[in-house]
Amino acid sequence: MSHTLGIRQAQKQKTRQAFLDAALALLEEQSLSSLGLREVTRAVGVAPTAFYRHFRSTADLGVALVDEALGSLHPMVKTTVSTAGDSEERITRAVELIARHVEAYPAHVRFIARERHGGVQPVREAIRDQLARFADEVKAELAKDPQADGWSDDDLLMLAHLYVDQMLITASLFLEALEASQDEREQVAQLATRQMRLISIGRRHWLD
Amino acid sequence: MSHTLGIRQAQKQKTRQAFLDAALALLEEQSLSSLGLREVTRAVGVAPTAFYRHFRSTADLGVALVDEALGSLHPMVKTTVSTAGDSEERITRAVELIARHVEAYPAHVRFIARERHGGVQPVREAIRDQLARFADEVKAELAKDPQADGWSDDDLLMLAHLYVDQMLITASLFLEALEASQDEREQVAQLATRQMRLISIGRRHWLD
DNA sequence: TCATCCAGTTAACAACTGTTCTCTGGAATT
DNA sequence: AATTCCAGAGAACAGTTGTTAACTGGATGA
């Protein structure tokens, strides 16, 4: 299936990626609904009309960015939840993983946090759908745990959403603390850890 | 202290409020960073230059909107937390209060959710500061509860932030379901209730 | 009553926006 | 080798933007 792309297709994909990269960079200081088509092409170094060869509109570009950003997030979520060890150790590792991800892909995280409730409907919907998929995956992982015995499907999904939202909140906090002192980032980590711990305690006593 | 405003000051405040209202309406379908000065004045029905008599920039207007939106939210948070009754009854009433607030001030809720991570720094900071104040108030209310005996200040604040974030998430879900069926809104309410319940359970067993 | 103040107006500015149509030159196909 | 294809360029469009300066006329305070 992996047919080597022709020179033409390869160049096109390269330009397309340049659009995505440039847009992501521009979006660190504004939101998608104010991102101009010409602004992006200027940053890439191509003519404004070249934009239309790849995207219908900036909203369309935004949807493509959702895929890229949350695509890179998928492995994180999975490993975060399915990490071995006791509950406390799991939490510590999960928080650390989130911190690492934010350091590795700050622009992606910022984009998702910003546009999740942003002013562009198709993008909001794309993010909502992807996060729902995440929640489903988390739910599937949770179901494997013996702790989940006796839990209804609804309750498992409820907990999964709680975890996903908590991850996003934590990621956003790490993002704000990215250029802050080591101490401040440590404080974010401890806050997130304790919140996760409290949720885990609630989980453990859910069926009481 | 309530000196009756002169005709002049009264008219000015009226126009200012018209700016805030018009902006809030326009922001239902876009974000602040794309809100144009002329766009707002056009909606109000005044000359573009009149804008400068009230705000330095649209970012400045945004900060004013934060005060208005979260000002109206303050009473809700207080009554939500300090409601009497057992834990289960409290939660139900809290979720209902959030639902009512979203129905009463949908544009305010949307604005806060959207701009909390939006593209305009001063507005983000204003929201962050106000939410921190909320968390402090919630913490103060939590401290009154006998359940808080033995809790450290840090842990109380941690829980307060968890509650505040959870309120925002719930409000945002209600907002999305505003024009949906009664069933769908009921489902949101049940999800939020169960998540709150799980957090409360975690709270109850925190010191185990 | 008269001078001062000031919210809102009018006009003009250079700079920017999204979109259309036409063109080009090299890759892809036959 | 000849033909088709198509990513990107170029030029032009009407419409928009934020900001400036100078103004008007009614409320305000002496």
Side-chain angles (χ1 to χ4, degrees), chain A residues 146-162:
Chain A
Q147 241 191 84
D149 290 350
W151 281 59
S152 75
D153 260 30
D154 265 15
D155 284 351
L156 273 177
L157 193 58
M158 176 276 288
L159 179 60
H161 270 113
L162 197 55

Side-chain angles (χ1 to χ4, degrees), chain A residues 11-180:
Chain A
Q11 178 56 38
K12 182 171 184 180
Q13 282 213 355
K14 207 173 158 186
T15 309
R16 187 190 137 97
Q17 190 58 46
F19 275 125
L20 294 176
D21 293 346
L24 207 55
L26 290 167
L27 285 173
E28 305 219 354
E29 286 166 344
Q30 60 183 311
S31 33
L32 184 63
S33 82
S34 67
L35 184 70
L37 170 162
R38 294 183 100 107
E39 200 178 353
V40 183
T41 58
R42 200 183 308 129
V44 173
V46 297
T49 46
F51 186 88
Y52 293 107
R53 299 286 177 198
H54 300 271
F55 310 98
R56 258 179 243 277
S57 61
T58 49
D60 195 23
L61 186 157
V63 172
L65 273 177
V66 173
D67 290 340
E68 184 182 82
L70 288 184
S72 83
L73 225 87
H74 254 286
M76 184 191 92
V77 173
K78 195 147 192 176
T79 46
T80 296
V81 179
S82 64
T83 316
D86 69 345
S87 194
E88 194 60 28
E89 197 182 310
R90 267 194 212 184
I91 290 172
T92 314
R93 214 178 292 180
V95 172
E96 239 170 57
L97 257 163
I98 295 173
R100 296 287 155 79
H101 187 87
V102 172
E103 281 171 23
Y105 308 96
H108 281 169
V109 175
R110 172 170 290 121
F111 172 74
I112 295 299
R114 183 157 295 170
E115 301 304 331
R116 183 185 186 187
H117 304 283
V120 184
Q121 207 196 30
V123 172
R124 281 200 309 269
E125 284 171 1
I127 294 176
R128 181 166 45 76
D129 291 353
Q130 291 264 20
L131 290 184
R133 285 190 48 214
F134 277 144
D136 277 337
E137 291 179 20
V138 170
K139 177 194 154 192
E141 291 295 329
L142 290 175
K144 292 180 187 170
D145 197 299
Q147 241 191 84
D149 290 350
W151 281 59
S152 75
D153 260 30
D154 265 15
D155 284 351
L156 273 177
L157 193 58
M158 176 276 288
L159 179 60
H161 270 113
L162 197 55
Y163 274 132
V164 170
D165 283 335
Q166 193 58 31
M167 284 181 204
L168 278 181
I169 290 172
T170 302
S172 173
L173 280 177
F174 274 124
L175 194 63
E176 285 178 17
L178 246 191
E179 311 210 337

